Short mmCIF file of all heavy atoms in Angstrom, two decimals:
data_model
loop_
_atom_site.label_atom_id
_atom_site.label_comp_id
_atom_site.label_asym_id
_atom_site.label_seq_id
_atom_site.Cartn_x
_atom_site.Cartn_y
_atom_site.Cartn_z
N TYR B 213 -4.41 68.28 142.12
CA TYR B 213 -3.54 68.65 143.24
C TYR B 213 -2.08 68.64 142.83
O TYR B 213 -1.20 68.47 143.67
CB TYR B 213 -3.79 67.72 144.42
CG TYR B 213 -5.24 67.67 144.86
CD1 TYR B 213 -5.93 66.46 144.93
CD2 TYR B 213 -5.92 68.84 145.22
CE1 TYR B 213 -7.27 66.42 145.32
CE2 TYR B 213 -7.25 68.80 145.60
CZ TYR B 213 -7.92 67.59 145.65
OH TYR B 213 -9.23 67.56 146.05
N ASP B 219 2.12 78.19 142.49
CA ASP B 219 1.88 77.88 143.89
C ASP B 219 3.06 78.28 144.78
O ASP B 219 2.93 78.38 145.99
CB ASP B 219 1.62 76.37 144.06
CG ASP B 219 0.37 75.93 143.31
OD1 ASP B 219 -0.63 76.69 143.33
OD2 ASP B 219 0.39 74.85 142.70
N PRO B 232 24.02 65.49 148.40
CA PRO B 232 24.56 66.69 147.77
C PRO B 232 23.41 67.62 147.37
O PRO B 232 22.36 67.17 146.89
CB PRO B 232 25.29 66.14 146.53
CG PRO B 232 25.55 64.69 146.84
CD PRO B 232 24.42 64.25 147.72
N GLU B 242 11.79 67.73 140.11
CA GLU B 242 10.99 66.63 139.55
C GLU B 242 9.60 66.56 140.18
O GLU B 242 8.63 66.26 139.50
CB GLU B 242 11.68 65.28 139.83
CG GLU B 242 12.66 64.85 138.75
CD GLU B 242 13.37 63.58 139.20
OE1 GLU B 242 12.72 62.69 139.82
OE2 GLU B 242 14.59 63.49 138.94
N TYR B 246 9.05 74.84 143.41
CA TYR B 246 9.38 76.09 142.71
C TYR B 246 10.70 76.66 143.21
O TYR B 246 11.45 77.28 142.47
CB TYR B 246 8.23 77.07 142.95
CG TYR B 246 8.55 78.54 142.90
CD1 TYR B 246 8.50 79.23 141.69
CD2 TYR B 246 8.87 79.24 144.06
CE1 TYR B 246 8.78 80.61 141.65
CE2 TYR B 246 9.15 80.60 144.01
CZ TYR B 246 9.11 81.28 142.81
OH TYR B 246 9.37 82.63 142.76
N ASP B 260 35.45 73.27 154.53
CA ASP B 260 35.91 73.27 153.13
C ASP B 260 36.87 74.42 152.87
O ASP B 260 36.72 75.52 153.42
CB ASP B 260 34.70 73.42 152.19
CG ASP B 260 33.99 72.09 151.95
OD1 ASP B 260 34.40 71.08 152.55
OD2 ASP B 260 33.01 72.07 151.17
N ILE B 269 29.47 75.20 145.35
CA ILE B 269 28.50 76.23 144.95
C ILE B 269 28.22 76.14 143.45
O ILE B 269 27.06 76.26 143.03
CB ILE B 269 29.02 77.64 145.33
CG1 ILE B 269 29.04 77.80 146.85
CG2 ILE B 269 28.16 78.73 144.69
CD1 ILE B 269 29.72 79.07 147.34
N PHE B 272 25.82 73.41 142.81
CA PHE B 272 24.49 73.83 143.27
C PHE B 272 23.86 74.77 142.23
O PHE B 272 22.72 74.59 141.79
CB PHE B 272 24.66 74.52 144.62
CG PHE B 272 23.40 75.01 145.27
CD1 PHE B 272 22.25 74.24 145.32
CD2 PHE B 272 23.36 76.28 145.85
CE1 PHE B 272 21.10 74.71 145.95
CE2 PHE B 272 22.23 76.76 146.47
CZ PHE B 272 21.09 75.97 146.51
N VAL B 282 14.20 78.32 141.90
CA VAL B 282 14.56 79.63 142.42
C VAL B 282 15.10 79.49 143.83
O VAL B 282 14.60 78.68 144.61
CB VAL B 282 13.28 80.52 142.44
CG1 VAL B 282 13.51 81.82 143.16
CG2 VAL B 282 12.78 80.74 141.02
N ASP B 307 34.35 86.40 170.61
CA ASP B 307 34.92 85.96 169.33
C ASP B 307 33.95 85.06 168.57
O ASP B 307 33.93 85.08 167.35
CB ASP B 307 36.25 85.24 169.55
CG ASP B 307 37.40 86.22 169.69
OD1 ASP B 307 37.17 87.44 169.51
OD2 ASP B 307 38.52 85.77 170.00
N LYS B 315 30.28 84.84 159.40
CA LYS B 315 29.74 83.70 158.66
C LYS B 315 28.42 84.09 157.98
O LYS B 315 28.17 83.71 156.83
CB LYS B 315 29.53 82.53 159.64
CG LYS B 315 29.32 81.16 159.00
CD LYS B 315 29.45 80.04 160.05
CE LYS B 315 29.45 78.64 159.46
NZ LYS B 315 28.17 78.08 159.12
N ARG B 329 15.50 86.48 148.43
CA ARG B 329 14.88 87.73 148.86
C ARG B 329 14.69 87.78 150.37
O ARG B 329 14.44 88.83 150.94
CB ARG B 329 13.51 87.89 148.20
CG ARG B 329 13.52 87.74 146.68
CD ARG B 329 14.46 88.75 146.02
NE ARG B 329 14.13 90.11 146.38
CZ ARG B 329 13.28 90.89 145.70
NH1 ARG B 329 12.72 90.46 144.60
NH2 ARG B 329 13.03 92.11 146.11
N VAL B 330 14.80 86.62 150.99
CA VAL B 330 14.61 86.55 152.44
C VAL B 330 15.79 85.80 153.04
O VAL B 330 16.26 84.82 152.46
CB VAL B 330 13.29 85.81 152.77
CG1 VAL B 330 13.18 85.55 154.27
CG2 VAL B 330 12.08 86.61 152.30
N ARG B 337 20.77 77.90 169.01
CA ARG B 337 21.54 77.68 170.24
C ARG B 337 21.68 78.96 171.06
O ARG B 337 22.44 79.00 172.04
CB ARG B 337 22.90 77.06 169.93
CG ARG B 337 22.75 75.62 169.38
CD ARG B 337 23.99 74.76 169.56
NE ARG B 337 24.34 74.58 170.95
CZ ARG B 337 23.79 73.67 171.78
NH1 ARG B 337 22.88 72.83 171.34
NH2 ARG B 337 24.17 73.60 173.03
N GLY B 372 18.95 93.17 147.97
CA GLY B 372 17.48 93.25 148.12
C GLY B 372 16.98 92.20 149.10
O GLY B 372 16.01 91.51 148.82
N ARG B 374 15.66 90.88 152.94
CA ARG B 374 15.10 91.20 154.25
C ARG B 374 15.31 90.00 155.17
O ARG B 374 15.39 88.86 154.70
CB ARG B 374 13.61 91.50 154.14
CG ARG B 374 13.31 92.74 153.28
CD ARG B 374 11.87 93.18 153.40
NE ARG B 374 10.96 92.12 152.98
CZ ARG B 374 9.64 92.18 153.09
NH1 ARG B 374 9.06 93.25 153.63
NH2 ARG B 374 8.87 91.19 152.68
N PRO B 379 11.26 81.99 165.38
CA PRO B 379 11.21 81.76 166.84
C PRO B 379 11.10 80.26 167.14
O PRO B 379 10.60 79.48 166.33
CB PRO B 379 9.93 82.46 167.29
CG PRO B 379 9.36 83.15 166.07
CD PRO B 379 9.97 82.49 164.88
N GLY B 410 11.46 90.78 159.68
CA GLY B 410 10.14 90.20 159.93
C GLY B 410 10.29 88.82 160.50
O GLY B 410 11.30 88.50 161.13
N HIS B 417 7.10 74.83 165.86
CA HIS B 417 7.71 75.60 166.94
C HIS B 417 6.65 76.28 167.80
O HIS B 417 6.77 76.33 169.03
CB HIS B 417 8.67 76.64 166.37
CG HIS B 417 9.87 76.03 165.70
ND1 HIS B 417 10.88 76.78 165.15
CD2 HIS B 417 10.23 74.74 165.50
CE1 HIS B 417 11.80 75.98 164.63
NE2 HIS B 417 11.43 74.73 164.82
N GLN B 453 8.98 67.69 165.98
CA GLN B 453 8.75 66.50 165.15
C GLN B 453 8.97 66.73 163.66
O GLN B 453 9.31 65.80 162.94
CB GLN B 453 7.32 65.99 165.38
CG GLN B 453 7.10 65.55 166.82
CD GLN B 453 5.82 64.75 166.96
OE1 GLN B 453 4.75 65.31 167.11
NE2 GLN B 453 5.93 63.44 166.89
N ASN B 461 -1.40 68.14 163.41
CA ASN B 461 -2.67 68.78 163.74
C ASN B 461 -3.44 69.09 162.46
O ASN B 461 -3.31 70.16 161.87
CB ASN B 461 -2.34 70.05 164.53
CG ASN B 461 -3.54 70.86 164.90
OD1 ASN B 461 -4.68 70.49 164.59
ND2 ASN B 461 -3.30 71.96 165.57
N SER B 499 7.07 61.85 150.79
CA SER B 499 6.62 62.75 151.86
C SER B 499 6.74 64.21 151.44
O SER B 499 5.89 65.03 151.76
CB SER B 499 7.37 62.48 153.16
OG SER B 499 8.75 62.77 153.03
N ARG B 511 -6.22 73.94 150.44
CA ARG B 511 -6.59 75.21 149.83
C ARG B 511 -7.93 75.10 149.13
O ARG B 511 -8.78 75.99 149.23
CB ARG B 511 -5.50 75.65 148.85
CG ARG B 511 -5.69 77.10 148.40
CD ARG B 511 -4.55 77.55 147.49
NE ARG B 511 -4.59 76.83 146.22
CZ ARG B 511 -3.63 76.92 145.29
NH1 ARG B 511 -2.54 77.65 145.53
NH2 ARG B 511 -3.73 76.25 144.17
N SER B 536 -15.79 93.19 162.54
CA SER B 536 -15.08 94.15 161.69
C SER B 536 -15.67 95.55 161.77
O SER B 536 -15.07 96.50 161.25
CB SER B 536 -15.06 93.65 160.23
OG SER B 536 -14.30 92.47 160.16
N GLN B 561 -28.37 86.01 177.10
CA GLN B 561 -29.03 84.76 176.71
C GLN B 561 -28.72 84.35 175.27
O GLN B 561 -29.03 83.24 174.87
CB GLN B 561 -30.54 84.92 176.85
CG GLN B 561 -31.00 84.68 178.27
CD GLN B 561 -32.49 84.49 178.31
OE1 GLN B 561 -33.22 85.27 177.69
NE2 GLN B 561 -32.94 83.47 179.01
N ALA B 565 -23.71 80.39 168.49
CA ALA B 565 -23.84 79.48 167.35
C ALA B 565 -22.48 79.11 166.74
O ALA B 565 -22.36 78.93 165.53
CB ALA B 565 -24.78 80.08 166.29
N LEU B 574 -15.55 71.54 159.88
CA LEU B 574 -15.05 70.17 160.02
C LEU B 574 -15.56 69.31 158.86
O LEU B 574 -14.82 68.47 158.32
CB LEU B 574 -15.50 69.60 161.36
CG LEU B 574 -15.02 68.21 161.74
CD1 LEU B 574 -13.50 68.11 161.68
CD2 LEU B 574 -15.50 67.85 163.15
N ARG B 581 -18.99 67.92 152.24
CA ARG B 581 -19.89 69.01 151.83
C ARG B 581 -19.48 69.47 150.44
O ARG B 581 -18.33 69.57 150.12
CB ARG B 581 -19.79 70.20 152.79
CG ARG B 581 -20.23 69.88 154.18
CD ARG B 581 -20.42 71.16 154.95
NE ARG B 581 -21.58 71.86 154.45
CZ ARG B 581 -22.84 71.66 154.86
NH1 ARG B 581 -23.09 70.76 155.78
NH2 ARG B 581 -23.82 72.34 154.36
#
Side-chain angles (χ1 to χ4, degrees):
Chain B
Y213 305 124
D219 298 320
E242 271 174 39
Y246 153 89
D260 278 2
I269 291 171
F272 181 45
V282 171
D307 277 354
K315 195 167 188 280
R329 308 302 304 269
V330 171
R337 293 202 62 82
R374 296 191 301 174
H417 294 182
Q453 297 193 275
N461 178 1
S499 64
R511 192 177 67 188
S536 294
Q561 277 195 313
L574 184 55
R581 296 194 70 87

